[in-house]
Amino acid sequence: MSATLAILTLGVVPLREVLPLLTEHIREDQITHVSLLGRMTREAVMDAYAVSPGDDVLIALLNDNRRVEVSRQKVERDLQALVEVLDNQDYDVILLMSTAPISGLVARKAILIEPQRIIPPLVNSIVDGHQVGVIVPIPELMKNQRVKWEVLQNSPHYALANPIQGSDDELISAGKKLMGEGADVLMLDCLGFHQHHRDILQKALDVPVLLSNVLVARLAAELLV
């Protein structure tokens, strides 16, 4: 088919894990990846997106492999501008590949997938009252995660494990901690977590593990059929 997909990211996001889920339904040359900050220098990012008084903070990964704090308001403004550009280029689906608290973007023609709006209620319907344990990569994201998962019927438990700098043993320890607190479903809600991490937890702990980037990629894939 001739459907086209634009993947929109905030910073540097490795897409190699989710591309196979999409290319089951669409050729890779029909997929475009656009990053708001991914090709900018750190200095340019700070000039354009520094957090001003009263702004909310987002955390993004830049191409120097280091995190940066940026203004949510400024990011949302320019992400909306990118959505409008992509919409005018007649993409069928625009996928915002981000777990950051970004929402309210609007496309006139394309189907716009915003994980912040879609994933929490989807996970709530999947777990159906089970106790969720959320593994968070860094402490700075904990506040946003607590707000994000307020939609769950049972308040989730949280643990820290970094998918990039941490070890598999630390990930398993985080999962064990959550299960010890009563969690019977684990949630990996960071684009740094991949199917490798899900498989490790499922094998070691024999527990269902949800991976947000896989959920949103499969949703996008269904729209391309």
Side-chain angles (χ1 to χ4, degrees):
M1 64 177 297
S2 58
T4 52
L5 167 69
I7 300 175
L8 181 57
T9 63
L10 175 54
V12 173
V13 174
L15 298 178
R16 63 184 180 275
E17 293 281 337
V18 298
L19 275 178
L21 303 176
L22 299 169
T23 53
E24 292 177 5
H25 306 287
I26 184 174
R27 298 194 314 271
E28 191 166 345
D29 63 3
Q30 295 170 285
I31 301 173
T32 298
H33 174 209
V34 179
S35 176
L36 179 64
L37 310 178
R39 295 187 178 182
M40 297 175 64
T41 65
R42 178 169 292 269
E43 292 74 18
V45 169
M46 295 312 300
D47 285 343
Y49 299 101
V51 180
S52 300
D55 287 354
D56 299 318
V57 175
L58 295 181
I59 297 175
L61 183 68
L62 299 186
N63 57 27
D64 60 5
N65 206 33
R66 295 162 52 210
R67 296 190 296 269
V68 66
E69 292 187 350
V70 293
S71 161
R72 179 180 64 82
Q73 286 80 356
K74 295 172 184 175
V75 162
E76 287 184 345
R77 174 199 66 202
D78 288 357
L79 283 176
Q80 177 60 45
L82 281 176
V83 167
E84 291 171 6
V85 169
L86 295 169
D87 206 13
N88 288 332
Q89 294 175 354
D90 294 325
Y91 283 93
D92 296 293
V93 177
I94 301 173
L95 167 59
L96 176 63
M97 184 66 76
S98 173
T99 55
I102 298 169
S103 60
L105 303 179
V106 177
R108 294 179 297 104
K109 297 178 292 183
I111 298 173
L112 175 63
I113 302 176
E114 294 176 298
Q116 179 73 9
R117 179 170 54 87
I118 295 172
I119 293 300
L122 175 61
V123 170
N124 186 47
S125 67
I126 292 172
V127 300
D128 191 26
H130 285 268
Q131 181 62 56
V132 176
V134 181
I135 298 181
V136 183
I138 55 175
E140 292 86 346
L141 295 179
M142 194 67 77
K143 179 180 177 181
N144 286 336
Q145 284 287 311
R146 291 187 186 281
V147 173
K148 181 174 188 175
W149 298 110
E150 286 178 347
V151 68
L152 295 180
Q153 182 176 335
N154 299 319
S155 296
H157 301 304
Y158 297 89
L160 291 170
N162 192 300
I164 299 173
Q165 299 171 339
S167 66
D168 291 346
D169 287 341
E170 290 169 342
L171 180 65
I172 292 171
S173 294
K176 287 181 177 177
K177 171 184 177 295
L178 293 170
M179 293 178 69
E181 295 171 349
D184 54 2
V185 178
L186 300 182
M187 180 75 208
L188 300 177
D189 187 36
C190 167
L191 296 181
F193 287 118
H194 302 305
Q195 297 189 72
H196 159 76
H197 300 103
R198 182 187 63 184
D199 293 345
I200 286 172
L201 286 171
Q202 290 183 163
K203 182 177 180 180
L205 304 179
D206 191 26
V207 61
V209 181
L210 299 175
L211 193 59
S212 59
N213 56 1
V214 169
L215 289 174
V216 75
R218 289 197 182 282
L219 176 60
E222 290 300 317
L223 295 171
L224 296 167
V225 175

